[in-house]
Amino acid sequence: MEKFKESMYKLIVETSTNLPNDVRRAILQAKQRENAGTTAALSLGTITKNISMADTNVSPICQDTGMPTFELKVPVGANQIEMKKAIKEAIAEATKNGKLRPNSVDSLTGENSGNNLGDGTPIIHFEQWEKDEIDARLILKGGGCENKNIQYSLPAEIEGLGRAGRDLDGIRKCILHSVYQAQGQGCSAGFIGVGIGGDRITSYSLAKEQLFRSAEDVNPIEELQKLEDYVMEHANNLGIGTMGFGGEATLLGCKIGAINRLPASFFVSVAYNCWAFRRLGVTLTSDTGEIKEWLYKDGEEIKFTQDEAAEATEVKSTSREVVLEAPITEAQIRDLKVGDVVILNGDLHTGRDAIHHHLMDHDAPIDLNGQVIYHCGPVMLKDEAGEWHVKAAGPTTSIREEPYQGDVMKKFGIRAVIGKGGMGPKTLKALQEHGGVYLNAIGGAAQYYADCIKKVEGVDLLEFGIPEAMWHLKVEGFAAIVTMDSHGNSLHADVDKSSFEKLSELADRVF
Ligand code: SF4
């Protein structure tokens, strides 16, 4: 079992830090489609630079470890109890070594277990097979994209597309809508797995299972292959683009599977996965537990370089660049417009779900007047001298803070929030009234942003757990794009509107 545990540790670390070859090739193709100089091209440049940094540093590609899900096929007679124990130990060790963020939270108390273990975490599925070897696969699917999963029950009325019946055309409408509703919030450009049939649970399981297929395989069912091709072409014409900034690359892969259903039910489930599609596998010898072969590593491995920020230079031709340092004045904020690139130096404070909830009814632990809040739950590691170090620090999905954000900004005089995916009308109104701005950082670019953090000044409210605490950071050259300004403009609302119009053009029956 010791060797098996070692192999599982390697699988976890490799999955967290090194994107599979099929995913790299899909990202490269997307990059080639985007027009240079646009914010979408800038985002993809940051993403590929981040992939390269994660390779070099053997650090998490994204700070959100996601839900570790293992799928194992084992020979008859394999001791699944011992294997489960070894996997859990490997998860705890990878967390301790900063390769995974502590991500398992008690649903009732909110307490973070600190080691990624707890009821239901990690997910481990076993299946027996006739072969003599072990096939172990792992996916780390983040919360931002998990929240964009969606399930339809046909027949249904789909917004923008009309009636969706219990046939291939109805399924087509569900899938197109699933991409539209995700916008940039699941860190597009993304991959989708689609499950048709089953009951509610197995339909979702089938959708997630599709994510274990190679991004480049051919569906053995001809009509599903045609549907996959159709979705790839038309979803990429919706103009949602990377991070929802608008652009050519919205979807990187679409895989569809079908199982039998009850006569009375017809479910179509979609599992949305961000560009940080961390899914790898190994085959192991069943007697020693040693790795025989890595899966998803065939074909050309695209090695992105860290010069990918060249696009950042090009984007200057179309975007204004503004350097800011907290405390920021209202006049500085009122001067910013959607599309500007802000380069932030100096103080930055993290705050996500627990902090926003807390600040509604409590004082802030520090003076936040003129300050910048970063929606981020970083991966942090304490050294032997007791100093904290940032291992990964990309933005988290901002829309979760929509009920609180405007009130919290006004109450404490916060001038800017940084996150990803945009926020809604309540926050937009508050930005106008108060003189605030929303800055969109590139989702998943956890290494890129960790590199901009020069010092950890301190931490408050650590009792909420590492990701939820308020970390006080000193940054240098932290770049983010103004996507909601103090004049009532929202790039997210604009892209939503234009992509909805394009979606509506696809209402006519095709299949
Ligand atoms: S890339 Fe975005 S959606 Fe994916 S795990 Fe990271 S933060 Fe979550």
Side-chain angles (χ1 to χ4, degrees):
M1 262 319 138
E2 209 37 52
K3 259 277 168 263
F4 175 76
K5 182 183 141 188
E6 202 182 303
S7 298
M8 288 300 98
Y9 181 82
K10 282 185 191 158
L11 175 62
I12 295 161
V13 174
E14 193 72 358
T15 308
S16 177
T17 61
N18 194 342
L19 278 188
N21 288 356
D22 57 335
V23 173
R24 286 169 185 259
R25 289 191 288 268
I27 291 173
L28 178 66
Q29 278 173 21
K31 202 160 173 262
Q32 287 162 347
R33 273 205 304 275
E34 283 302 351
N35 297 317
T38 61
T39 41
L42 165 69
S43 313
L44 272 166
T46 309
I47 283 170
T48 48
K49 179 173 179 170
N50 184 74
I51 295 168
S52 166
M53 291 172 85
D55 285 348
T56 310
N57 305 339
V58 196
S59 284
I61 296 160
C62 179
Q63 78 289 339
D64 185 0
T65 285
M67 176 61 86
T69 306
F70 292 85
E71 298 287 343
L72 287 104
K73 293 201 177 88
V74 297
V76 177
N79 188 335
Q80 296 178 13
I81 296 169
E82 287 300 316
M83 290 170 92
K84 217 178 217 180
K85 233 165 78 188
I87 290 173
K88 287 185 176 178
E89 283 170 14
I91 283 277
E93 200 175 317
T95 311
K96 192 165 138 246
N97 294 339
K99 306 298 180 188
L100 299 175
R101 184 180 71 185
N103 232 26
S104 177
V105 173
D106 184 304
S107 291
L108 300 182
T109 64
E111 197 183 325
N112 192 316
S113 69
N115 58 4
N116 272 311
L117 302 180
D119 274 353
T121 328
I123 297 170
I124 307 171
H125 295 139
F126 286 99
E127 199 184 311
Q128 287 190 336
W129 66 354
E130 299 287 355
K131 292 188 191 173
D132 194 32
E133 62 183 17
I134 298 165
D135 181 303
R137 298 175 194 227
L138 168 64
I139 187 167
L140 299 171
K141 187 172 184 297
C145 55
E146 183 68 11
N147 291 346
K148 297 321 291 183
N149 290 358
I150 189 165
Q151 187 171 68
Y152 303 85
S153 174
L154 297 181
E157 200 63 27
I158 310 278
E159 58 168 342
L161 293 170
R163 190 180 315 118
R166 291 179 158 191
D167 54 19
L168 219 48
D169 201 63
I171 296 164
R172 171 189 76 91
K173 288 183 178 177
C174 296
I175 302 173
L176 287 173
H177 181 266
S178 74
V179 178
Y180 157 73
Q181 62 87 39
Q183 290 289 303
Q185 289 170 11
C187 290
S188 60
F191 296 79
I192 52 172
V194 182
I196 303 167
D199 62 8
R200 283 202 185 270
I201 307 297
T202 54
S203 183
Y204 257 136
S205 297
L206 180 66
K208 195 163 176 181
E209 225 173 83
Q210 300 306 303
L211 296 174
F212 282 100
R213 284 172 50 193
S214 159
E216 294 155 347
D217 73 358
V218 175
N219 199 315
I221 303 170
E222 197 188 335
E223 59 215 305
L224 293 186
Q225 178 62 48
K226 274 194 194 145
L227 185 54
E228 288 176 3
D229 292 343
Y230 171 90
V231 171
M232 284 304 291
E233 183 188 340
H234 291 84
N236 276 314
N237 291 336
L238 292 177
I240 295 167
T242 308
M243 292 298 128
F245 292 161
E248 312 300 317
T250 298
L251 199 60
L252 299 173
C254 170
K255 299 289 156 190
I256 309 172
I259 51 176
N260 283 11
R261 61 181 173 84
L262 293 173
S265 309
F266 198 125
F267 298 111
V268 178
S269 306
V270 181
Y272 189 96
N273 205 106
C274 54
W275 67 263
F277 187 12
R278 293 153 294 169
R279 167 269 274 137
L280 277 177
V282 284
T283 56
L284 310 166
T285 54
S286 58
D287 47 346
T288 66
E290 265 175 299
I291 294 175
K292 277 168 64 178
E293 193 194 355
W294 282 90
L295 307 171
Y296 309 107
K297 282 189 180 274
D298 50 332
E300 190 191 356
E301 182 187 7
I302 309 293
K303 277 279 179 205
F304 296 111
T305 72
Q306 291 186 29
D307 298 331
E308 307 287 343
E311 280 87 345
T313 320
E314 286 177 51
V315 84
K316 282 180 194 162
S317 59
T318 52
S319 303
R320 188 172 65 129
E321 191 177 287
V322 181
V323 179
L324 289 178
E325 185 164 346
I328 302 169
T329 64
E330 183 178 347
Q332 284 175 300
I333 291 296
R334 296 270 180 211
D335 181 50
L336 294 173
K337 306 266 177 344
V338 162
D340 290 344
V341 175
V342 168
I343 309 292
L344 194 73
N345 297 325
D347 293 334
L348 186 63
H349 314 278
T350 67
R352 43 181 281 167
D353 307 48
I355 294 290
H356 281 79
H357 185 256
H358 176 84
L359 290 181
M360 290 295 281
D361 307 313
H362 298 84
D363 284 341
I366 57 153
D367 181 7
L368 290 173
N369 197 27
Q371 297 295 317
V372 184
I373 290 288
Y374 184 23
H375 297 160
C376 169
V379 180
M380 305 292 293
L381 212 56
K382 206 183 213 176
D383 65 20
E384 280 163 8
E387 294 280 318
W388 285 103
H389 299 276
V390 184
K391 303 303 286 180
T396 193
T397 310
S398 300
I399 197 70
R400 296 196 307 272
E401 315 317 334
E402 180 69 1
Y404 313 110
Q405 195 64 77
D407 296 333
V408 167
M409 285 183 92
K410 286 178 183 171
K411 181 173 170 188
F412 297 101
I414 296 161
R415 287 288 167 210
V417 289
I418 306 175
K420 60 129 172 137
M423 303 194 73
K426 190 170 175 226
T427 302
L428 189 62
K429 190 160 172 271
L431 296 179
Q432 254 181 303
E433 290 166 357
H434 164 65
V437 74
Y438 176 82
L439 303 168
N440 204 120
I442 311 304
Q447 290 308 310
Y448 175 81
Y449 288 114
D451 197 48
C452 299
I453 298 168
K454 300 305 169 194
K455 196 167 174 224
V456 181
E457 297 275 29
V459 59
D460 279 299
L461 302 168
L462 194 52
E463 61 270 29
F464 294 153
I466 286 177
E468 296 285 344
M470 181 178 261
W471 295 93
H472 309 299
L473 310 168
K474 275 267 185 257
V475 301
E476 212 177 278
F478 190 109
I481 296 155
V482 178
T483 53
M484 293 167 71
D485 64 23
S486 63
H487 310 285
N489 303 309
S490 164
L491 176 66
H492 307 284
D494 293 348
V495 171
D496 191 311
K497 187 165 172 274
S498 61
S499 58
F500 185 77
E501 282 163 12
K502 287 185 181 137
L503 179 77
S504 305
E505 289 165 13
L506 300 172
D508 289 345
R509 173 170 282 276
V510 173
F511 289 98

